[in-house]
Each structure stands twice: as structure tokens, then as C-alpha cells.
Amino acid sequence: MEAEANSGSPEDSWAFIQKPGEGCRTVPLAGHVGFDSLPDQLVNKSVSQGFCFNILCVGETGLGKSTLMDTLFNTKFEGEPATHTQPGVQLRSNTYDLQEGNVGLKLTIVSTVGFGDQINKEDSYKPIVEFIDAQFEAYLQEELKILRVLHNYHDSRIHACLYFIAPTGHSLKSLDLVTMKKLDSKVNIIPIIAKSDAISKSELTKFKIKITSELVSNGVQIYQFPTDDESVAEINGTMNAHLPFAVIGSTEELKIGNKMMKARQYPWGTVQVENEAHCDFVKLREMLIRINMEDLREQTHSRHYELYRRCKLEEMGFKDTDPDSKPFSLQETYEAKRNEFLGELQKKEEEMRQMFVQRVKEKEAELKEAEKELHEKFDRLKKLHQDEKKKLEDKKKLLDDEVNAFKQRKTAAELLQSQGSQAGGAQTLKRDKEKKN
């Protein structure tokens, strides 16, 4: 068989390598080989590694999101009750390790705190979209690492989004339509009518029809349970017609007949959570957990994550084919992006250099202008100083002339006085002599 399978020319072998699947032949086995145990090996390996499942609960505060989660997984998850006073939408994530039989499940529940409580609800969906994209980005970064540990990596991508619709009985709110439209390409949306015991059965039937009609007319793509597997095609096809599910949550157990059952007690009667005549809780649990949990995980990876990954890689310049429809080389793409980056870096460097030179020139011009102004000011002050100095010198000279003239007049006066005194003395002597004679 080995010789028969490998027979053929080198060209045929090369063609087979280049195009796997083409020309592949089916050959019979002469006896038992053992690879029929591969499914068992896969099951054992999966059970030993455990599973993870991440649920996003979107809905207004007070619709019973936490209570429904407790009811779905038959336990009590710890959590603080949300208030209506949140300034914005916040996402609260909690991870729990659950064990059922020999199967371990790492369950992450993400709830939207404050959703729909703001007066302006225009951007209420943005934190949810950003959170989902952040989980995709974290997984993509792990994939792109040289040393990857995906087998031990905690996958935080959202596998299912339970969208809680208020039981108004009329129509979907604009906030619900906008949010689901923004999310339908990023996550598997399963719409559910919360607290469905608040409206009558006839109103509930009309409400379901109205919701389905509005989702279709607005192009909102909700998750459809797969019908390609013959083992679940019939039940999934039937359950697709029951969407959205009308559910009730309760962790309180009441004795009904001879059994303890989860129910809600009202003055007019009792609503049984697991009674399909009262609500669709059992349908939701069957579809979400017992039948389609693995499909939800697979759809998240193969559809929503692949779309995000493709868009991100295309933004980075990676493509499968070049303009000539030839296979695109990763090395060539890397070199092209590297050269483009270096070119942009060099261009920015040149722009910064020119900007620096321009600013230096502008600064030099400013400094020269300031220096010129200082010189002009100095010259003005110097001239002013010289003028003042000349005025002072002129005043000093004038004062000196006046002083000299005063001294001259004083000297002349003293001389005249002295001469007058001498003349007076001579006359006195003359008179005295005449008297004696």
C-alpha cells in the first residue's frame, strides 16, 4: 500500500504537496490500526485540561441578570447589587471554577453595571464594544508572540451574550436596537425577555413576534442554533422559532406537591422556573449549556474573532494575495512595512529638523530685533545723557562766570572802600595838624 500510495513521477508528488487534497485516494486497511481511538484521546485530553465559557449579560439594572445566572448554574455567585446611580456604563467581570462530575469549567460572567441608567444613553454601547475588542486584542497579541502558551492561556473572549429585554409588552427600545446592532458582528447574541411573568401569556406571544420583526427589519443578526448536525438539527430548528426566550429566575425553592422546585411565590399563585408551561428557562438552559455550548465557543473563534483578526491584520498591511493575485509573503510584507515605517520615521525626522531650523531662525530674528532695539535705546539714552551733561556743563560755566564776576565786583568794592578809608584818614591828619599850628 505504501508503494502504491507514493507511486508517480516527481512532478506528481510536487503537485500533491502544493495542492493537498487533490488526487487523494482511499485505500482499504488489511487490519486494525488503532487511530479509531483518536476521539477518545481527544475527549480525555479535553477533560483533563478543562473548559472555559464566558457569558456577557447585557441589560438594564434590575432585570434579574445575577439571579438568572445563579439559577442557570444552580449555585450562588458572589456579587454586589448594582445601583441606578452609576455615572456611566461599567463592565464587571468575575471568574469561577465549577466542577460537575469529572468535568471542570472555568466560567466567567461579565455584567454591564449602569447600562440604561443615564439620561443620555447615546454612547452606552461603547464600553461593551471596547471590552469585547479588548479581549480579542489580548488573544491576538498572544497568538502573535514568538513563544506562545495558548494551551495554558485563559481565553477571555466572550462566547455568548445574553441580552435582557425589559418586559414592556410593546416594542424594543432604541437603546436595545442600537446596542444589539453594534454587537451582532462581535458576539453571539441570544435575546431573552427578562421577568416574563410581568406580562400575560397573550401579550408575551405578541411581544415575541414584535421583537423578532423589529430585529429583522433593523438587520440585527442574532445567534441561530446550528441545524447542520443531524443529531441536534430538529431540536435546534424548533428552538430557533422560540427566540427570544421568555425567562424567569429564582433561587428560592418551594414545595410543590411532593417535590422542592425553584419557583416564585405571588399572592395569586406560584410560577415554576423549570415548568415549560410557565416560562422558557428550561429551553434556554438546554440550548445554552447542554447542547450548543461548544458551538458558541467555536462560532466565537471561527467567525467573530477571525473577523476581528482579519481586520486588524489588514490595517497592519497584511494580505493573503498581492495585486497580481499571487500569494503574499509574510517576509515581504514585513520588509515593506518596515521600509514604510522607516520612510515615515525619516520623513518625520526631516520635518522635525526643518521645524527646528525654522524655529532657530525665528528665534535668531527675534533676538536680533531685540538687540537692535536695545542698541537704539542705548543710543537714545547715551545722547540724552550727553545732552544733559552739556546742559549741566553750560550751567556750571555760567555759574562760574557769575562767581568770578561777583568776586571781581567784591574786590573792586573792597579796593574802593580801602581807598576811601585812606583818603579819610589823610584829611583827618591834615585837620589835626592845622589845629596844632
Side-chain angles (χ1 to χ4, degrees):
M1 288 189 297
E2 182 179 354
E4 184 179 343
N6 292 332
S7 62
S9 63
E11 291 78 5
D12 294 337
S13 300
W14 175 252
F16 177 78
I17 294 173
Q18 288 296 99
K19 300 178 181 179
E22 293 185 7
C24 182
R25 292 169 291 176
T26 302
V27 294
L29 300 177
H32 182 262
V33 177
F35 55 78
D36 58 349
S37 66
L38 274 173
D40 297 330
Q41 297 176 33
L42 182 60
V43 169
N44 294 334
K45 184 177 180 180
S46 298
V47 169
S48 64
Q49 290 180 348
F51 302 89
C52 73
F53 192 65
N54 307 318
I55 300 177
L56 171 64
C57 298
V58 181
E60 298 176 6
T61 305
L63 287 180
K65 299 186 290 294
S66 301
T67 303
L68 184 64
M69 290 297 101
D70 294 345
T71 312
L72 269 175
F73 292 94
N74 200 21
T75 186
K76 179 64 177 176
F77 296 115
E78 297 178 357
E80 298 177 359
T83 63
H84 292 272
T85 58
Q86 296 292 334
V89 180
Q90 299 177 355
L91 279 87
R92 184 183 298 165
S93 177
N94 295 293
T95 302
Y96 309 93
D97 285 321
L98 306 179
Q99 189 76 25
E100 187 175 32
N102 64 338
V103 178
L105 178 67
K106 187 181 289 293
L107 176 68
T108 299
I109 299 176
V110 182
S111 59
T112 52
V113 181
F115 182 79
D117 290 339
Q118 295 74 37
I119 296 176
N120 183 6
K121 303 177 178 63
E122 183 178 358
D123 297 331
S124 295
Y125 68 89
K126 288 185 178 180
I128 306 173
V129 173
E130 291 171 359
F131 179 85
I132 296 173
D133 286 344
Q135 312 317 307
F136 284 153
E137 183 64 25
Y139 193 88
L140 177 61
Q141 292 301 321
E142 184 65 28
E143 270 193 338
L144 296 177
K145 286 182 179 179
I146 296 176
L147 182 62
R148 302 188 297 180
V149 286
L150 290 175
H151 60 284
N152 289 329
Y153 177 75
H154 174 54
D155 186 4
S156 60
R157 296 173 296 178
I158 300 299
H159 300 125
C161 171
L162 297 182
Y163 196 96
F164 289 69
I165 300 171
T168 61
H170 301 294
S171 62
L172 285 172
K173 298 178 181 180
S174 58
L175 173 64
D176 298 328
L177 285 172
V178 171
T179 303
M180 282 194 275
K181 185 62 178 176
K182 295 293 183 179
L183 296 180
D184 64 354
S185 63
K186 297 179 179 294
V187 70
N188 302 311
I189 300 177
I190 302 176
I192 59 178
I193 301 172
K195 296 184 176 182
S196 60
D197 54 344
I199 53 178
S200 66
K201 184 167 287 189
S202 60
E203 290 176 333
L204 186 59
T205 302
K206 295 178 181 178
F207 192 34
K208 282 189 173 185
I209 296 173
K210 182 67 174 177
I211 291 172
T212 304
S213 174
E214 290 184 343
L215 291 177
V216 172
S217 62
N218 287 277
V220 178
Q221 300 292 325
I222 63 174
Y223 174 72
Q224 295 291 316
F225 304 117
T227 57
D228 51 354
D229 187 353
E230 294 181 358
S231 61
V232 295
E234 183 177 355
I235 186 172
N236 279 349
T238 304
M239 290 302 145
N240 282 330
H242 282 82
L243 288 171
F245 293 134
V247 298
I248 302 167
S250 176
T251 55
E252 181 182 359
E253 290 191 351
L254 301 175
K255 190 173 183 179
I256 301 174
N258 297 324
K259 294 182 179 179
M260 297 297 293
M261 304 182 68
K262 288 184 173 63
R264 298 186 74 90
Q265 184 71 49
Y266 293 101
W268 45 263
T270 303
V271 178
Q272 300 174 26
V273 173
E274 295 180 323
N275 188 334
E276 293 192 49
H278 292 182
C279 70
D280 297 331
F281 173 80
V282 174
K283 295 182 178 67
L284 174 64
R285 183 177 62 190
E286 292 288 325
M287 292 297 99
L288 179 67
I289 300 175
R290 298 182 180 178
I291 297 178
N292 297 304
M293 179 180 280
E294 180 55 31
D295 184 74
L296 287 163
R297 286 157 42 90
E298 183 181 341
Q299 285 291 320
T300 298
H301 182 78
S302 62
R303 180 186 169 196
H304 301 296
Y305 171 68
E306 283 299 320
L307 176 62
Y308 177 85
R309 176 179 175 274
R310 185 186 71 192
C311 293
K312 291 296 288 187
L313 292 180
E314 286 178 352
E315 286 178 8
M316 296 166 63
F318 295 100
K319 296 180 181 178
D320 290 332
T321 57
D322 60 12
D324 299 329
S325 298
K326 295 180 180 179
F328 216 67
S329 170
L330 183 64
Q331 179 67 24
E332 292 177 357
T333 304
Y334 169 76
E335 292 294 336
K337 295 298 292 185
R338 183 175 181 273
N339 293 334
E340 181 182 351
F341 173 76
L342 292 177
E344 292 179 356
L345 187 64
Q346 187 175 1
K347 182 179 178 181
K348 288 183 179 179
E349 184 180 355
E350 180 64 23
E351 290 176 354
M352 291 179 66
R353 191 187 67 80
Q354 292 180 358
M355 186 181 297
F356 176 77
V357 171
Q358 181 67 23
R359 289 186 177 180
V360 168
K361 289 181 178 179
E362 292 175 356
K363 198 65 178 178
E364 286 180 350
E366 291 178 2
L367 291 174
K368 287 182 178 179
E369 185 68 23
E371 185 180 6
K372 182 179 178 182
E373 291 178 357
L374 286 174
H375 279 299
E376 292 176 351
K377 187 176 181 181
F378 176 77
D379 292 339
R380 288 196 302 272
L381 291 175
K382 185 178 180 180
K383 184 177 180 182
L384 182 62
H385 173 71
Q386 290 176 350
D387 293 341
E388 291 291 333
K389 184 179 180 180
K390 185 177 180 182
K391 289 180 180 179
L392 290 174
E393 289 178 351
D394 293 341
K395 286 183 178 180
K396 182 182 178 182
K397 183 178 179 182
L398 182 60
L399 288 173
D400 289 341
D401 292 342
E402 290 179 354
V403 169
N404 292 331
F406 175 76
K407 288 180 177 180
Q408 290 177 359
R409 288 195 299 273
K410 181 181 179 182
T411 304
E414 290 176 348
L415 181 62
L416 290 174
Q417 185 178 6
S418 174
Q419 290 176 356
S421 298
Q422 289 177 1
Q427 290 177 359
T428 302
L429 290 174
K430 185 177 181 182
R431 282 195 300 270
D432 289 343
K433 285 180 179 181
E434 289 178 352
K435 286 180 180 183
K436 287 178 179 183
N437 295 327

